[in-house]
Amino acid sequence: MGVVGAGQMGAGIAQLAAVNGVDVWLYDLDSEALTKAQKSISNNIQRLLTKGQISQATSVDAVKRLRCSSRLEDLHSVDIVVEAIVESEQVKKSLFANLDKIVKSSAILASNTSSISITRLASATSRPSQVIGMHFMNPPPIMKLVEIIRGADTSEDAYRATKCLAERFGKTVICSQDYSGFIVNRILMPMINEAFHTLYTGVATKEDIDTGMKLGTNHPMGPLELADFIGLDVCLSIMNVLQAGLGDDKYAPCPLLVQYVDAGRLGKKRGVGVYDYCNAAAKTGGSPRL
């Protein structure tokens, strides 16, 4: 298996593969990102061992199965590639066009996109029947769901192979047709966007909005906290995809969400989003908890 992108999602997917007995290449052009991901994966595997969730043999085997590279050509022999890069259609198309020339003809090209059309991504390749969406939830090793999206030409064989792999990872699989936002984000992102509107129009404070949804609807995390965890730039990108793909202004991003992204307030990864995590960490002497 190949995983493209050594960020939180890519590293998590690579960890899943290695722990479940799959040889995996983790690719990223950024060598520092690869080093960070490899360290994170090793630490997570050690944590699983300490907690008794995996055996010593599994731990040793998982570390051996993970290989990192900054050469895309090293993925030439994999059976499936999962890309977990920036949520941009053009960037993903460019990657798939390159991978199409490198990987073997039988290989499946899977995208971890949370909203972009699989059919359009497949159009950049000569193998549209072997292009599929494999949307992991964040963080991949913990969240139990994988959303599989079939493009217009995705074959039954590609679907079955991808579903089998997700189930090997211990995931529950749901299948979506190729419409903007698929299942999870078609429902989740408008809720997050509405939470921003609720804050923007002064209906309530951010704390009360999140507390209301946590205690009133039994959500483990409020929508604004969740947006910070996902990344406000990712939320904005998905809302733009929903509005463009579904042609309905009800999906227009809240001006406050747009403003926060313009200001670089992207959430936990930047230390500030709806909430200020830098000040919270300073006060508590460590990382803030959501």
Side-chain angles (χ1 to χ4, degrees):
M1 179 178 181
V3 178
V4 177
Q8 184 176 13
M9 292 300 295
I13 296 166
Q15 177 185 319
L16 272 172
V19 168
N20 285 282
V22 177
D23 293 326
V24 56
W25 279 100
L26 178 59
Y27 164 85
D28 201 296
L29 268 177
D30 186 343
S31 59
E32 289 185 13
L34 281 174
T35 300
K36 182 180 178 181
Q38 193 165 25
K39 182 179 179 181
S40 173
I41 293 169
S42 296
N43 289 341
N44 289 340
I45 290 173
Q46 182 60 44
R47 193 175 296 114
L48 292 173
L49 176 63
T50 301
K51 291 181 177 180
Q53 295 177 358
I54 60 173
S55 67
Q56 178 71 37
T58 298
S59 170
V60 172
D61 182 65
V63 172
K64 290 180 179 178
R65 288 185 180 277
L66 175 66
R67 289 172 288 182
C68 297
S69 176
S70 292
R71 296 181 65 254
L72 201 60
E73 291 76 15
D74 284 334
L75 275 60
H76 67 93
S77 64
V78 302
D79 298 305
I80 182 171
V81 181
V82 179
E83 69 80 13
I85 61 173
V86 63
E87 191 72 352
S88 162
E89 181 174 332
Q90 291 309 312
V91 175
K92 289 180 187 293
K93 276 185 171 180
S94 177
L95 172 65
F96 271 20
N98 288 332
L99 285 170
D100 189 41
K101 300 170 186 173
I102 292 170
V103 300
K104 57 191 180 183
S105 60
S106 60
I108 294 170
L109 300 180
S111 174
N112 186 56
T113 180
S114 55
S115 62
I116 297 170
S117 168
I118 300 302
T119 302
R120 292 203 300 270
L121 294 182
S123 71
T125 77
S126 63
R127 62 181 83 196
S129 66
Q130 293 157 240
V131 178
I132 196 165
M134 191 179 191
H135 179 210
F136 290 82
M137 306 298 126
N138 191 17
I142 296 173
M143 300 297 282
K144 298 297 185 183
L145 186 73
V146 167
E147 187 177 38
I148 293 180
I149 304 94
R150 302 179 70 151
D153 297 314
T154 303
S155 70
E156 185 66 21
D157 285 345
Y159 169 72
R160 287 178 180 171
T162 305
K163 183 174 184 286
C164 182
L165 182 62
E167 290 173 343
R168 179 173 176 176
F169 292 168
K171 304 304 183 184
T172 297
V173 172
I174 60 174
C175 184
S176 172
Q177 296 303 310
D178 192 18
Y179 293 100
S180 298
F182 315 136
I183 299 170
V184 174
N185 281 324
R186 174 79 175 263
I187 298 167
L188 174 63
M189 286 301 158
M191 183 190 73
I192 287 175
N193 197 50
E194 194 61 31
F196 271 94
H197 275 294
T198 307
L199 181 62
Y200 179 58
T201 55
V203 172
T205 65
K206 56 182 179 288
E207 294 84 2
D208 281 354
I209 292 167
D210 280 340
T211 298
M213 293 304 292
K214 284 188 286 186
L215 301 186
T217 63
N218 205 29
H219 289 193
M221 187 181 291
L224 298 174
E225 294 173 328
L226 180 56
D228 273 353
F229 184 75
I230 294 169
L232 301 193
D233 53 332
V234 176
C235 294
L236 177 58
S237 174
I238 294 171
M239 288 307 301
N240 285 330
V241 168
L242 287 173
Q243 185 182 22
L246 300 173
D248 193 324
D249 285 343
K250 74 179 182 180
Y251 298 110
C254 175
L256 184 62
L257 173 58
V258 176
Q259 185 184 67
Y260 278 12
V261 172
D262 287 345
R265 298 178 59 163
L266 305 185
K268 280 195 76 175
K269 60 188 174 185
R270 286 287 180 88
V272 62
V274 179
Y275 294 90
D276 188 338
Y277 301 92
C278 294
N279 287 341
K283 289 176 183 178
T284 60
S287 298
R289 293 177 65 88
L290 287 182

